[in-house]
Amino acid sequence: MGTSKWLDKEVTVLPGVGANRRQLLAKLGLYTLRDVLYGFPRTYQDFTRVWSPDELREEGEYLVTGELVELTERPISGGRRLVQASLHMDGSYLRLTWFLVHRGRGYTYIYNRLKGAKRLWAYGHAKRALVEWEMNSPEFFLRQPKLGLTPVYPLVAGITNKMRISWAQFALEHLDELYECLPSHLTAKYGDRHTAIRDMHFPGSWAAQKKARTRLVFEEFFLFHLGLQSGVAQADGWPHKVDGPLVKRFLEGLPFRLTVGQAQSIADVRADMESTARMGRLIQGEVGSGKTVVAQYAAVKAVESGGQVAIMVPTEVLARQMADRFRDAFQHLGIEVDLLVGSLTKKNREEVLKRLQNGELQVVVGTHALITEGVEFKKLTLAIVDEQHRFGVEQRQALGASSGADMLVMSATPIPRSLALTMYGDLDVSTIRELPRGRKPVDTRLIHPSQRERVYTFVTSRVKQGEQAFVVFPLVEESDKLDLKAAVQEMERLKAGPLRGVRVGLVHGQMGKEKDEILQAFYRHELDVLVATTVIEVGMNIPRATVMVIENADRFGLAQLHQLRGRVGRGDKQGYCFLIADLKTDTVRARLNAIRNSNDGFLIAEEDLKLRGPGDLLGLRQSGQPMFLLGDIVADQELLIIAAEAAKALLGQDPELDEYPTLKEELNRQRPAV
Ligand code: ADP
Ligand code: MG
């Protein structure tokens, strides 16, 4: 076990692979025999049967056969030749077409082979022409090809599919060295590893291929979740006291009634905090769903139990806002709240650090500054992280790791369950689905660019009523100078024209400290309109803001648009969102209509995930690298959930995986790079 002789050897042990091809294989990500084993086909040629004309469809590829009844060739434009053949099959005809370079090797080869043929087998996409079917540039054979599924591998110039087939066969001869890693109750369900790998390369049928893929995707997801979950759930936390007078006073003093989702989340947090196990909980809820009160409840509970609380948010502006909100809510409770951010003066910072260390300061709100060196608590028992996807898993865990503080994570991005599982597989999830009663959904409208002036006239009228507005311009890349210039120019134009007399500020991603100052000014209502790139996406709570104007709305993802829309109408006034876009295509129209017609962030997020893929959704673009080799977190969502649960069950029963040495070894070998 573990000491494999062959699998970890370099690809140069493959027949016909020297220094040159080794470099080519590296381009395909193949370095060792193990990589070759796991270098699965991209698709298969389906030679499982020969199809008759009335079975053909326009999708998929088909193997057909017929009598060659006509063969023509003639020059066409661009120095090419058109070769056409007609197959007679069961009373109908199929036309085969090739466009070939005049006197090129392909031309000579194809034309000469066709010339002598009587019967032909062709393989390719079928298309309906006027009355007959046709295939463009099909593969063809003069004899019936071996029936079955032929793997088609990813290739680079210099590596042929034939080579890859023979190397896969070579690697499979050493398959015995690969041990089974899944426990027997799972192999009973999903099949064994050897069969799966063999059937992925050379499946006897589509059913066998499907089963093999399912087993390997399950394995991938299962290992990922074991890695994510191990070591978190079992950790000891602080057993907080049951709710006492302080918590009661906090809850009784709330100016509103809790929604069902809030009450449930608070109940979940209460149970977690009172238990001896370390809490790891995600509160997931739409913008404006009222997550803060859940965090405040947890904080009061921690303080009442004699603990300290740290709250980490992504930016200084948000930290200041959050500190204000906590101070307001805690004033009558006598709980001390202070701020720890990078811009504090040295003296100020030292003062805060001292009060954290001696326990005088009970609640601290801050940015990354909280996880920098020199920050020590007397007794940190609760760590809260807001808007988590701005932080990495490691940063999140760094906060409160040393003291084993209970962990509460709040995310305003409603993410589909599959993605929540991959991103936060180590956390339990509470969801607040509904918005507080009485909150009116934002009135969302699609506006053609030619109507834009009317939108700004409307903005001006709202500003006169003491309300505020956002105007958002998309920058594809924060570094895109051209786009930035366009945004600046547009702002100047707005200020001179439709927004004359209105106090307008501009923020963008390339600003430094100045940006925070402008955001603060907007927050304090010293500005009426904030023109921005997407930097305002996260967390700003401006109750007076009622209008959101989004220029070039078609350039945003749905989830992003929904997030932006959530920035307005948070007070008691009606919110408006104007999506300015030229509805050039049906897709654009369909997408923007989806936003206009729905206020359910979860639905929109599911839609977005389907349309754009997971990387884009969270702005995670991992240099185009999919998270998994085979698994697709959208298409294989169900399997992902099952795998997560299976991992949890196994860790619950054997936290150290002592009974599963091969599994443990596999896990250590391929720790996910989170
Ligand atoms: P989130 O952080 O989830 O985006 P907040 O916690 O900032 O949302 O809440 C948004 C606004 O709704 C705040 O002004 C808050 O006081 C208010 N709010 C929260 N819960 C309720 C409730 N149950 N009823 C009425 N208003 C509420
Ligand atoms: Mg919030």
Side-chain angles (χ1 to χ4, degrees):
M1 203 181 72
T3 54
S4 55
K5 254 176 66 201
W6 280 95
L7 294 181
D8 292 321
K9 279 209 192 335
E10 283 205 66
V11 287
T12 41
V13 298
L14 292 167
V17 178
N20 271 342
R21 284 190 180 145
R22 174 179 167 209
Q23 277 189 358
L24 296 176
L25 287 173
K27 284 195 201 163
L28 290 165
L30 308 175
Y31 300 92
T32 65
L33 275 202
R34 192 188 300 273
D35 296 334
V36 174
L37 266 189
Y38 272 84
F40 296 123
R42 161 170 84 66
T43 178
Y44 305 84
Q45 287 191 322
D46 187 348
F47 295 162
T48 48
R49 51 168 291 200
V50 178
W51 301 78
S52 67
D54 53 348
E55 292 175 309
L56 297 183
R57 298 284 175 273
E58 288 215 333
E59 65 269 12
E61 295 181 311
Y62 297 89
L63 181 64
V64 295
T65 185
E67 197 188 333
L68 183 66
V69 291
E70 200 189 324
L71 179 64
T72 60
E73 66 94 35
R74 62 188 166 87
I76 50 168
S77 66
R80 292 178 309 161
R81 297 190 89 81
L82 176 71
V83 176
Q84 287 193 309
S86 199
L87 284 193
H88 182 222
M89 37 195 274
D90 289 350
S92 62
Y93 291 89
L94 178 87
R95 185 204 292 277
L96 310 178
T97 305
W98 292 267
F99 298 91
L100 299 161
V101 177
H102 180 55
R103 289 190 210 288
R105 267 170 65 194
Y107 166 75
T108 316
Y109 179 73
I110 288 178
Y111 188 67
N112 286 343
R113 279 182 74 204
L114 286 171
K115 237 173 18 191
K118 291 218 156 49
R119 173 169 279 282
L120 220 58
W121 281 260
Y123 180 82
H125 283 286
K127 244 180 61 192
R128 237 214 204 289
L130 278 179
V131 281
E132 50 185 22
W133 285 93
E134 60 178 21
M135 280 185 178
N136 277 329
S137 309
E139 271 199 64
F140 70 93
F141 312 89
L142 302 182
R143 258 174 284 152
Q144 171 157 330
K146 192 166 155 272
L147 291 185
L149 290 170
T150 303
V152 179
Y153 291 95
L155 302 176
V156 288
I159 303 290
T160 66
N161 199 50
K162 259 204 178 123
M163 293 175 194
R164 291 220 48 186
I165 289 179
S166 78
W167 295 332
Q169 281 162 340
F170 184 95
L172 283 171
E173 280 168 32
H174 301 283
L175 191 55
D176 280 349
E177 278 180 19
L178 196 72
Y179 45 79
E180 178 55 69
C181 61
L182 293 187
S184 55
H185 68 279
L186 293 173
T187 55
K189 189 156 170 211
Y190 294 103
D192 69 275
R193 201 180 201 186
H194 287 182
T195 310
I197 290 177
R198 207 175 276 122
D199 284 355
M200 273 303 282
H201 288 283
F202 303 106
S205 65
W206 283 111
Q209 191 273 342
K210 187 160 178 258
K211 180 159 193 228
R213 183 181 177 281
T214 300
R215 144 79 210 214
L216 294 169
V217 170
F218 178 84
E219 175 184 314
E220 226 180 346
F221 287 164
F222 183 68
L223 288 167
F224 176 80
H225 278 287
L226 282 178
L228 207 54
Q229 293 177 27
S230 61
V232 175
Q234 312 64 240
D236 282 342
W238 297 86
H240 291 89
K241 286 199 212 131
V242 298
D243 290 352
L246 197 62
V247 170
K248 289 212 175 71
R249 248 168 66 210
F250 167 74
L251 290 175
E252 278 159 13
L254 287 177
F256 44 69
R257 274 187 55 162
L258 295 175
T259 64
V260 174
Q262 284 173 322
Q264 184 56 52
S265 300
I266 284 179
D268 293 343
V269 168
R270 175 187 299 134
D272 286 355
M273 286 182 71
E274 288 173 11
S275 100
T276 52
R278 187 173 175 198
M279 171 167 78
R281 181 165 296 276
L282 171 72
I283 306 290
Q284 205 194 0
E286 290 246 24
V287 170
S289 61
K291 295 178 295 297
T292 312
V293 69
V294 180
Q296 287 171 343
Y297 162 84
V300 178
K301 189 174 179 70
V303 170
E304 185 163 48
S305 299
Q308 286 172 297
V309 182
I311 303 161
M312 185 161 76
V313 302
T315 67
E316 253 192 73
V317 176
L318 292 174
R320 286 179 194 280
Q321 266 202 15
M322 187 69 95
D324 283 352
R325 294 181 69 182
F326 271 68
R327 256 193 219 109
D328 286 350
F330 290 178
Q331 219 158 26
H332 69 292
L333 303 174
I335 298 176
E336 288 278 321
V337 181
D338 218 331
L339 194 64
L340 186 66
V341 292
S343 70
L344 291 189
T345 60
K346 190 155 177 274
K347 188 164 155 260
N348 217 326
R349 175 182 153 89
E350 270 162 15
E351 176 70 19
V352 171
L353 291 184
K354 203 181 91 205
R355 289 168 65 224
L356 281 177
Q357 207 168 9
N358 66 24
E360 236 177 85
L361 181 57
Q362 294 150 312
V363 177
V364 65
V365 182
T367 53
H368 291 90
L370 285 170
I371 48 176
T372 52
E373 216 154 317
V375 183
E376 278 172 42
F377 294 84
K378 180 153 185 249
K379 187 181 174 188
L380 180 70
T381 70
L382 176 66
I384 300 175
V385 179
D386 194 14
E387 310 291 3
Q388 200 275 336
H389 69 262
R390 284 288 179 106
F391 299 105
V393 175
E394 274 138 32
Q395 286 172 310
R396 181 221 299 163
Q397 283 168 357
L399 182 65
S402 57
S403 65
D406 279 353
M407 171 74 60
L408 188 66
V409 177
M410 296 191 288
S411 170
T413 315
I415 48 180
R417 181 152 162 75
S418 63
L419 209 54
L421 277 167
T422 47
M423 300 297 296
Y424 309 109
D426 53 337
L427 301 176
D428 298 313
V429 181
S430 301
T431 302
I432 307 180
R433 276 205 97 109
E434 75 279 52
L435 296 183
R437 245 185 305 279
R439 184 80 44 84
K440 301 177 204 84
V442 174
D443 185 344
T444 305
R445 304 189 184 190
L446 305 189
I447 304 288
H448 191 269
S450 62
Q451 303 291 303
R452 127 171 346 110
E453 302 288 311
R454 288 170 58 183
V455 170
Y456 288 107
T457 308
F458 181 78
V459 168
T460 314
S461 73
R462 301 285 40 162
V463 165
K464 288 209 178 104
Q465 303 294 317
E467 297 170 20
Q468 290 174 285
F470 294 101
V471 178
V472 176
F473 284 89
L475 297 197
V476 175
E477 296 285 339
E478 285 292 358
S479 61
D480 194 327
K481 293 232 166 56
L482 266 179
D483 277 353
L484 183 57
K485 209 172 137 211
V488 173
Q489 271 173 359
E490 186 59 23
M491 187 186 78
E492 294 306 329
R493 207 186 64 77
L494 291 174
K495 280 209 292 204
L499 294 183
R500 200 196 305 269
V502 169
R503 297 170 299 172
V504 182
L506 171 76
V507 291
H508 59 78
Q510 287 168 42
M511 284 179 159
K513 250 182 86 114
E514 205 192 339
K515 180 173 92 191
D516 275 3
E517 281 160 20
I518 294 175
L519 290 175
Q520 285 292 346
F522 187 66
Y523 178 50
R524 290 193 300 259
H525 202 184
E526 291 157 18
L527 291 171
D528 303 307
V529 174
L530 188 67
V531 179
T533 64
T534 55
V535 286
I536 51 155
E537 206 186 317
V538 171
M540 291 273 283
N541 187 32
I542 316 258
R544 255 189 308 264
T546 55
V547 188
M548 170 66 66
V549 181
I550 305 176
E551 294 272 0
N552 297 320
D554 51 311
R555 282 163 75 175
F556 289 96
L558 294 186
Q560 247 178 333
L561 289 174
H562 182 65
Q563 280 271 72
L564 286 169
R565 172 171 64 182
R567 298 288 150 234
V568 298
R570 304 187 80 178
D572 44 14
K573 295 227 172 57
Q574 173 68 50
Y576 299 89
C577 176
F578 298 99
L579 305 172
I580 301 184
D582 193 354
L583 303 178
K584 280 179 289 244
T585 66
D586 286 350
T587 349
V588 170
R589 187 188 302 272
R591 291 184 50 207
L592 294 183
N593 270 322
I595 274 282
R596 190 185 61 182
N597 299 337
S598 175
N599 261 300
D600 184 341
F602 287 88
L603 213 83
I604 290 168
E606 293 279 359
E607 209 43 44
D608 211 33
L609 186 59
K610 273 186 226 143
L611 286 169
R612 289 158 48 104
D616 266 4
L617 181 64
L618 296 185
L620 290 173
R621 254 165 260 121
Q622 298 166 325
S623 58
Q625 281 291 311
M627 273 174 105
F628 298 100
L629 179 68
L630 284 173
D632 174 330
I633 64 170
V634 181
D636 302 313
Q637 183 167 144
E638 241 167 85
L639 205 54
L640 181 63
I641 293 168
I642 295 171
E645 280 159 5
K648 190 167 186 172
L650 194 72
L651 286 171
Q653 167 216 322
D654 183 1
E656 299 298 323
L657 299 178
D658 289 332
E659 284 169 51
Y660 306 96
T662 55
L663 181 57
K664 199 166 171 169
E665 187 175 329
E666 187 66 27
L667 199 58
N668 288 333
R669 210 176 56 72
Q670 55 168 55
R671 278 239 156 228
V674 184

